[in-house]
Amino acid sequence: MAEGQISAATFADEGRAAVERAIGANKESVAAAGRLLADCVAADGVIHGFGTGHSQATVLEIVGRAGGLIPTNRIGLTDLVLRGGEDRSVLADPLLERSPGLARRLYDLAEPRPQDVFVIVSNSGVNNSIVDMALHVKEAGHHLIALTSLTHTRAVPALHPSGKRLADVADAVLDNCAPAGDALLPLPNGGALCGVSTITSALLVQMTVAEAVGLLNAEGHDAPVYISANLPGGHERNTVLEERYAGRIHRGGF
């Protein structure tokens, strides 16, 4: 990009290039992650999505959306209030994400079963709560898919006492190909504009879901998929399919 050239068209060009990089870089990873999701669903498992900050936007691509898999559960800080009995004021603590034992508490509230799979989303992949959750998930015997920026995570120090990053712990790593710091367009006085990780991460989620459902169909399984609740009969159909996972799938709140 020419220095100082900031426009919608420039971002579209740079974003399109990032999308193409993500597609090219993740062919094997998408296949591996799709296999993990397909095996989970076939075994009556649930896919748990976890992320903090803006990564929650990508978790919403995994959990409870039209065209997505029904056996999906969103893990978030609000679970402490919604299912954990904490007062809502706990969410006002800006250091809550760094609290010792937080990941274990959220994991326990989700009540996962052995066949369940976890998808953890973090652009940097170094936040303590993210790595804590990843380590606990693996210690508990679950398969783990990481969605991260390998460029970013390799450019920053590992913050967790273990020295691990999210990508170090996962069974399959989806690289969203975002630059360090996420934003694509350099600003004249420093910094950059227009994050791209949400775009490429959403693409990778949908590619992985498509791979998983293709495998399920090929192996004789009916994939439980949401249709829009705004289509005639959609809500009723979804509700019937959700009943199979009663008490196991949550959509977060607030």
Side-chain angles (χ1 to χ4, degrees), residues 37 49 58 79 84 86 94 104-105 115 125 129 135 147 157 160 162 169 176 180 221 230-231 248 250:
L37 295 192
T58 301
D79 293 351
E86 300 281 354
R104 175 60 184 266
R105 176 82 168 124
Q115 69 269 39
S129 61
L135 289 170
L147 210 173
H160 194 269
S162 68
V169 186
N176 65 30
H221 301 284
N230 296 311
L231 290 174
R248 301 174 63 196
H250 308 282

Side-chain angles (χ1 to χ4, degrees), residues 50-53 56 75-87 90-112 118 120 127-137 160:
F50 176 63
T52 62
Q56 294 173 92
I75 297 176
L77 298 180
T78 55
D79 293 351
L80 298 171
V81 177
L82 295 172
R83 286 183 296 287
E86 300 281 354
D87 186 84
V90 72
L91 300 176
D93 181 359
L95 301 180
L96 179 60
E97 292 180 14
R98 304 180 187 178
S99 300
L102 173 67
R104 175 60 184 266
R105 176 82 168 124
L106 294 174
Y107 173 92
D108 288 343
L109 288 171
E111 299 182 310
F118 283 72
I120 300 182
N127 294 340
N128 278 348
S129 61
I130 290 294
V131 180
D132 271 348
M133 180 66 83
L135 289 170
H136 186 70
V137 162
H160 194 269

Side-chain angles (χ1 to χ4, degrees), residues 70 92 102 117 155 196 210-211 254:
I70 285 177
L102 173 67
V117 167
V196 74
E211 182 73 11
F254 298 179

